Amino acid sequence: MLKEAAALDAADGLAAERARFDLEEDCVYLDGNSLGALPRGVAGRLADVVGREWGRLRIRSWEESGWWTAPERVGDRIGRLVGAAPGQVVAGDSTSVNVFKAVVAAIRLTDTGSRDEVLVDAATFPTDGYIARSAARMTGCRIRAVDAADMAREAGPRTAVALVNHVDYRTGRLHDLPAVTAAVHAAGARTVWDLCHSAGALPVHLDAAGADFAVGCTYKYLNGGPGAPAFLYVRRTLQDRFDSPLPGWNSHADPFAMDPAYAPADGAVRGRVGTPEILSLLALDAALDVWDGVDLEAVRAKSLALTDFFLRCVEAYVPRGRVESVTPEAHGERGSQVSLRCAAGPAGGAGDVMAELIRRGVVGDFRRPDVLRFGFTPLYTRFADAERAARVLGEVLEGTRQR
């Protein structure tokens, strides 16, 4: 497997992108699905923002350095990566806050007299479920949890909105965004897609699919840094009816008029609330430079090749019966991670196994009760990393001493 990994890395058209990240050679980092690696250009950009734009220009930077328009400018850069034409994505706030905006706005766009149901992916990331339940209580709706695979056929005459994770955070299962969107629309309802585990990992085609709303974080595959601002997509044809439940001064048509009456701005600006988080927003802006000129189809092809190769290495190195992949084999149903169910054994439970992997320089993560997650970020993950991770996993599960 070592020779095959070397050959695959030699033929990798994205191999040069790794040099744009701050990564140690002796560490296999497979946790970019939780926190992406640091792009090398971010530190210098932040130093300039702090030292010159804030330190010297101070308040002038809102205009002279473009701080005021940064949420839309950065939003458009993200939009290119999720299949959204300019003017439909705004960067800011957290994923949770943006889920709330999108779900409530989607409900307000429907006839809530007869449509009082919010469909939620039964395996959703917990925050999405918490927010959806709160939004439902506030709008007089009820929550109905269904399997994401059943979402298309479960949408009906009472459905106001369906909140769906594009990629399941536990298993890495990819759901069919175009098909589910079309089915939900056929039922007369709206969609809100959570792209946290797909933005930057694979091509997303929001405009082409006719998606209504989408949200996502930027600290995973987009490498924006811990707590980086999230994003909100509002389809252009809905923007004049987008009634945000959080109408902050930054989304006012004339913010500095300080008018006590709210008048919403046009376009994606309606998705703003308060003062932009400039330091983290401009760190994200710099991080997005690594995507300039990158072909997302090439990213997807490498992602699938990496995860295929890793699974073959696991089969070759790991004692039979010790782990079971819960990530779909079919390419059309797989995101950019591999999740392995790991039964307790001589090396301990799955949490103990991951702790030992990290001690040996292979960084993934653990999800209770028994899942080992390995995220593959094609811009910097090598086939040699996949081979080493599987080999060390095998050694840990066999109880082999570290060499």
Coordinates of all heavy atoms in Angstrom, one line a residue, residues 27-68:
C27 N 2.8 14.8 11.2 CA 1.4 14.6 11.7 C 0.4 14.4 10.6 O 0.5 15.0 9.5 CB 1.0 15.9 12.4 SG -0.7 15.9 13.0
V28 N -0.4 13.4 10.7 CA -1.5 13.1 9.8 C -2.7 13.7 10.3 O -3.3 13.3 11.3 CB -1.7 11.6 9.6 CG1 -2.9 11.3 8.7 CG2 -0.5 10.9 9.0
Y29 N -3.2 14.8 9.7 CA -4.3 15.6 10.2 C -5.6 15.2 9.4 O -5.7 15.6 8.2 CB -4.0 17.1 10.1 CG -5.1 17.9 10.8 CD1 -5.2 17.8 12.2 CD2 -6.0 18.7 10.1 CE1 -6.2 18.5 12.8 CE2 -7.0 19.4 10.7 CZ -7.1 19.3 12.1 OH -8.1 20.0 12.8
L30 N -6.4 14.4 10.0 CA -7.7 14.0 9.4 C -8.9 14.5 10.2 O -9.9 13.7 10.4 CB -7.7 12.5 9.2 CG -6.6 11.9 8.4 CD1 -6.7 10.3 8.3 CD2 -6.6 12.4 7.0
D31 N -8.8 15.7 10.6 CA -9.9 16.3 11.4 C -10.3 17.6 10.8 O -10.9 18.5 11.5 CB -9.5 16.5 12.8 CG -10.7 16.4 13.8 OD1 -11.8 16.1 13.3 OD2 -10.5 16.6 15.0
G32 N -10.1 17.8 9.5 CA -10.5 19.0 8.8 C -12.0 19.1 8.7 O -12.6 20.2 8.4
N33 N -12.8 18.1 9.0 CA -14.2 18.1 9.0 C -14.7 18.7 10.4 O -15.9 18.8 10.6 CB -14.8 16.7 8.8 CG -14.3 15.7 9.7 OD1 -13.2 15.7 10.2 ND2 -15.1 14.6 9.9
S34 N -13.8 19.0 11.3 CA -14.1 19.7 12.5 C -13.4 21.1 12.6 O -14.1 22.0 12.9 CB -13.7 18.9 13.7 OG -14.6 17.8 14.0
L35 N -12.2 21.1 12.2 CA -11.4 22.4 12.1 C -10.4 22.3 11.1 O -9.4 21.5 11.2 CB -10.8 22.7 13.5 CG -10.0 24.0 13.5 CD1 -10.8 25.2 13.2 CD2 -9.2 24.2 14.8
G36 N -10.5 23.1 10.0 CA -9.6 23.0 8.9 C -8.2 23.5 9.3 O -8.1 24.3 10.3
A37 N -7.2 23.1 8.6 CA -5.8 23.6 8.9 C -5.6 25.1 8.6 O -6.4 25.6 7.8 CB -4.8 22.7 8.1
L38 N -4.6 25.7 9.1 CA -4.3 27.1 8.9 C -3.7 27.4 7.6 O -2.6 26.9 7.3 CB -3.4 27.6 10.0 CG -2.9 29.0 9.9 CD1 -4.0 30.0 10.0 CD2 -1.8 29.3 11.0
P39 N -4.4 28.1 6.7 CA -3.7 28.6 5.5 C -2.6 29.6 5.8 O -2.7 30.4 6.7 CB -4.8 29.3 4.7 CG -6.1 28.7 5.2 CD -5.8 28.5 6.7
R40 N -1.4 29.4 5.2 CA -0.3 30.2 5.5 C -0.5 31.7 5.4 O 0.2 32.5 6.0 CB 0.9 29.8 4.7 CG 1.4 28.4 5.0 CD 2.7 28.0 4.3 NE 3.1 26.7 4.5 CZ 3.8 26.2 5.5 NH1 4.1 27.1 6.5 NH2 4.1 25.0 5.7
G41 N -1.4 32.1 4.5 CA -1.5 33.6 4.2 C -2.4 34.3 5.3 O -2.4 35.5 5.3
V42 N -3.0 33.5 6.2 CA -3.9 34.2 7.2 C -3.2 35.0 8.2 O -3.6 36.1 8.5 CB -4.8 33.1 7.9 CG1 -5.6 33.7 9.0 CG2 -5.7 32.5 6.9
A43 N -2.1 34.5 8.8 CA -1.4 35.2 9.8 C -0.9 36.6 9.4 O -1.1 37.6 10.1 CB -0.2 34.4 10.3
G44 N -0.3 36.7 8.2 CA 0.1 38.0 7.7 C -1.0 38.9 7.5 O -0.9 40.1 7.8
R45 N -2.1 38.4 6.9 CA -3.3 39.3 6.7 C -3.8 39.8 8.0 O -4.2 41.0 8.1 CB -4.3 38.5 5.9 CG -5.6 39.3 5.7 CD -5.4 40.4 4.7 NE -6.7 41.1 4.4 CZ -7.0 42.3 4.9 NH1 -6.1 43.0 5.5 NH2 -8.1 42.9 4.6
L46 N -4.0 38.9 9.0 CA -4.5 39.4 10.3 C -3.5 40.4 10.9 O -4.0 41.4 11.6 CB -4.7 38.2 11.2 CG -6.1 37.6 11.2 CD1 -6.1 36.5 12.2 CD2 -7.2 38.6 11.5
A47 N -2.2 40.2 10.8 CA -1.3 41.2 11.4 C -1.5 42.5 10.8 O -1.4 43.6 11.4 CB 0.1 40.7 11.1
D48 N -1.8 42.6 9.5 CA -2.0 43.9 8.8 C -3.3 44.5 9.2 O -3.4 45.7 9.5 CB -2.0 43.7 7.3 CG -2.2 45.0 6.5 OD1 -1.3 45.9 6.7 OD2 -3.2 45.1 5.8
V49 N -4.4 43.6 9.4 CA -5.7 44.1 9.8 C -5.5 44.7 11.2 O -6.0 45.8 11.5 CB -6.7 43.0 9.8 CG1 -8.0 43.5 10.5 CG2 -7.0 42.6 8.4
V50 N -4.8 44.0 12.1 CA -4.7 44.5 13.5 C -3.8 45.7 13.6 O -4.1 46.8 14.2 CB -4.2 43.4 14.4 CG1 -3.9 43.9 15.8 CG2 -5.3 42.3 14.5
G51 N -2.6 45.6 12.9 CA -1.6 46.6 13.1 C -1.8 47.9 12.3 O -1.6 49.0 12.8
R52 N -2.3 47.8 11.1 CA -2.5 48.9 10.2 C -4.0 49.4 10.1 O -4.3 50.5 10.5 CB -2.0 48.7 8.8 CG -2.2 49.8 7.8 CD -1.6 49.5 6.4 NE -2.4 48.4 5.8 CZ -3.5 48.6 5.1 NH1 -4.0 49.9 5.0 NH2 -4.2 47.6 4.6
E53 N -4.9 48.4 9.8 CA -6.3 48.8 9.6 C -6.9 49.3 10.9 O -7.7 50.3 10.9 CB -7.0 47.7 8.9 CG -6.5 47.4 7.5 CD -7.3 46.4 6.7 OE1 -8.4 45.9 7.3 OE2 -7.0 46.0 5.6
W54 N -6.7 48.5 11.9 CA -7.3 48.8 13.2 C -6.4 49.8 13.9 O -6.8 50.8 14.4 CB -7.6 47.6 14.0 CG -8.1 47.8 15.4 CD1 -8.7 48.9 15.9 CD2 -8.1 46.8 16.5 NE1 -9.0 48.7 17.2 CE2 -8.7 47.4 17.6 CE3 -7.7 45.5 16.6 CZ2 -8.9 46.8 18.8 CZ3 -7.9 44.8 17.8 CH2 -8.5 45.4 18.9
G55 N -5.1 49.4 14.0 CA -4.1 50.2 14.8 C -3.8 51.6 14.3 O -3.6 52.5 15.1
R56 N -3.9 51.8 12.9 CA -3.5 53.1 12.4 C -4.7 53.8 11.7 O -5.0 55.0 12.0 CB -2.4 53.0 11.3 CG -1.1 52.5 11.9 CD -0.4 53.5 12.8 NE 0.8 52.9 13.3 CZ 0.9 52.3 14.5 NH1 -0.2 52.2 15.3 NH2 2.0 51.9 15.0
L57 N -5.5 53.1 10.9 CA -6.6 53.8 10.3 C -7.8 53.9 11.2 O -8.6 54.8 11.0 CB -7.0 53.0 9.0 CG -6.0 53.0 7.9 CD1 -6.4 52.1 6.7 CD2 -5.7 54.4 7.4
R58 N -7.9 52.9 12.1 CA -9.0 52.9 13.0 C -10.4 53.0 12.4 O -10.7 52.2 11.5 CB -8.8 53.9 14.1 CG -7.6 53.6 15.0 CD -7.3 54.7 16.0 NE -6.6 55.9 15.5 CZ -5.3 56.0 15.3 NH1 -4.5 55.0 15.7 NH2 -4.8 57.1 14.8
I59 N -11.2 53.9 12.8 CA -12.6 54.0 12.3 C -12.6 54.2 10.8 O -13.6 53.8 10.1 CB -13.3 55.1 13.0 CG1 -14.9 55.0 12.8 CG2 -12.9 56.5 12.5 CD1 -15.5 54.2 13.8
R60 N -11.6 54.8 10.2 CA -11.5 55.0 8.7 C -11.6 53.7 8.0 O -12.0 53.7 6.8 CB -10.3 55.8 8.3 CG -10.2 57.2 8.9 CD -8.8 57.7 8.9 NE -8.2 57.6 7.6 CZ -6.9 57.8 7.4 NH1 -6.1 58.0 8.4 NH2 -6.3 57.7 6.2
S61 N -11.2 52.6 8.6 CA -11.2 51.3 7.9 C -12.6 50.8 7.5 O -12.7 50.0 6.6 CB -10.5 50.2 8.7 OG -9.1 50.4 8.6
W62 N -13.6 51.3 8.1 CA -14.9 50.8 7.7 C -15.2 51.2 6.2 O -15.8 50.4 5.5 CB -16.0 51.5 8.6 CG -16.1 50.8 9.9 CD1 -15.7 51.3 11.1 CD2 -16.6 49.5 10.2 NE1 -15.8 50.4 12.1 CE2 -16.4 49.3 11.6 CE3 -17.2 48.5 9.5 CZ2 -16.8 48.1 12.3 CZ3 -17.6 47.3 10.1 CH2 -17.4 47.2 11.5
E63 N -14.6 52.3 5.8 CA -14.8 52.7 4.4 C -13.5 52.4 3.6 O -13.5 51.8 2.6 CB -15.1 54.2 4.3 CG -16.5 54.6 4.9 CD -17.6 54.0 4.1 OE1 -17.4 53.7 2.9 OE2 -18.7 53.8 4.6
E64 N -12.4 52.9 4.1 CA -11.1 52.8 3.3 C -10.6 51.4 3.2 O -10.0 51.1 2.2 CB -10.1 53.7 4.0 CG -10.4 55.2 4.0 CD -9.3 56.1 4.6 OE1 -8.1 55.6 4.6 OE2 -9.6 57.2 5.0
S65 N -10.9 50.6 4.1 CA -10.4 49.2 4.0 C -11.5 48.2 3.7 O -11.3 47.0 3.6 CB -9.8 48.7 5.4 OG -8.7 49.5 5.7
G66 N -12.7 48.7 3.4 CA -13.8 47.9 2.9 C -14.4 47.0 4.0 O -15.1 46.0 3.7
W67 N -14.3 47.4 5.3 CA -14.9 46.6 6.3 C -16.4 46.5 6.2 O -17.0 45.4 6.4 CB -14.6 47.2 7.7 CG -13.1 47.0 8.2 CD1 -12.1 46.4 7.5 CD2 -12.6 47.4 9.4 NE1 -11.0 46.5 8.2 CE2 -11.2 47.1 9.4 CE3 -13.1 48.1 10.5 CZ2 -10.4 47.3 10.5 CZ3 -12.3 48.4 11.6 CH2 -10.9 48.0 11.6
W68 N -17.0 47.6 5.8 CA -18.5 47.6 5.8 C -19.1 46.6 4.9 O -20.1 46.0 5.1 CB -19.0 49.0 5.5 CG -20.5 49.2 5.7 CD1 -21.4 49.2 4.7 CD2 -21.2 49.2 6.9 NE1 -22.7 49.2 5.3 CE2 -22.6 49.2 6.6 CE3 -20.8 49.2 8.3 CZ2 -23.6 49.3 7.6 CZ3 -21.8 49.2 9.3 CH2 -23.2 49.3 8.9

